[in-house]
Amino acid sequence: MPVTALHHFTIRCAPHELPPLLDFYTRVMRLTVGARPEIPAPGAWLYADGQPIVHLYAHLSMPDEPVEPVTGHVDHISFRSHGLAEMRAHLHAQGVAFAEAPIPGWAIHQLFLHDPRGLKIEMTFWMDQEERQGEEGGAA
């Protein structure tokens, strides 16, 4: 199969929306700002484990008009995540509201939150891996 994973997604915004988006994805989601090619508009590429997975592209002269739902045809973006207990504590400490959604019958637990533009973000935790990490001395 030629498609094996999601490479990245891009959020378009106006330049004044860039700082709160950058803050959210670095402070709350803990991505890191990394290399970005010369592009004729402000922005940032945000990395996880060496992969640029979120591109912020501030090319709009003014913000898009809000639509319902905020994400249009896309319901949410999911990040594979590790360290559920620590992430809960981090989100509480940051004052970020979130909802929890364990999946009955599956070893999956999800957290849902929203970025500053209203995009729904899912963090997916595989509980069997969370337990193994805890047993191996990693973050549980």
Side-chain angles (χ1 to χ4, degrees):
M1 173 177 218
V3 175
T4 59
L6 178 66
H7 186 268
H8 74 270
F9 68 94
T10 300
I11 298 172
R12 67 177 181 252
C13 63
H16 74 274
E17 294 176 298
L18 190 56
L21 285 166
L22 193 55
D23 175 65
F24 175 84
Y25 284 99
T26 57
R27 180 179 51 84
V28 176
M29 300 302 295
R30 298 184 183 166
L31 299 177
T32 57
V33 176
R36 177 179 183 251
E38 290 294 322
I39 297 173
W45 281 16
L46 306 174
Y47 287 68
D49 293 329
Q51 171 70 41
I53 60 173
V54 177
H55 296 182
L56 301 177
Y57 185 44
H59 72 97
L60 301 175
S61 59
M62 54 190 299
D64 291 349
E65 288 295 319
V67 296
E68 290 298 327
V70 173
T71 55
H73 292 292
V74 175
D75 182 73
H76 65 276
I77 303 295
S78 179
F79 291 96
R80 180 75 179 259
S81 304
H82 302 284
L84 175 60
E86 193 278 331
M87 191 63 191
R88 277 190 194 114
H90 172 71
L91 292 173
H92 283 299
Q94 297 297 317
V96 175
F98 64 94
E100 301 202 36
I103 305 297
W106 290 61
I108 296 174
H109 193 95
Q110 301 164 319
L111 300 181
F112 287 96
L113 51 147
H114 291 85
D115 81 3
R117 292 202 73 206
L119 180 62
K120 188 189 324 180
I121 302 296
E122 173 187 321
M123 300 184 76
T124 302
F125 299 84
W126 292 85
M127 298 311 292
D128 56 342
Q129 293 177 9
E130 294 285 302
E131 292 165 8
R132 278 198 305 264
Q133 287 176 349
E135 292 168 4
E136 297 169 1

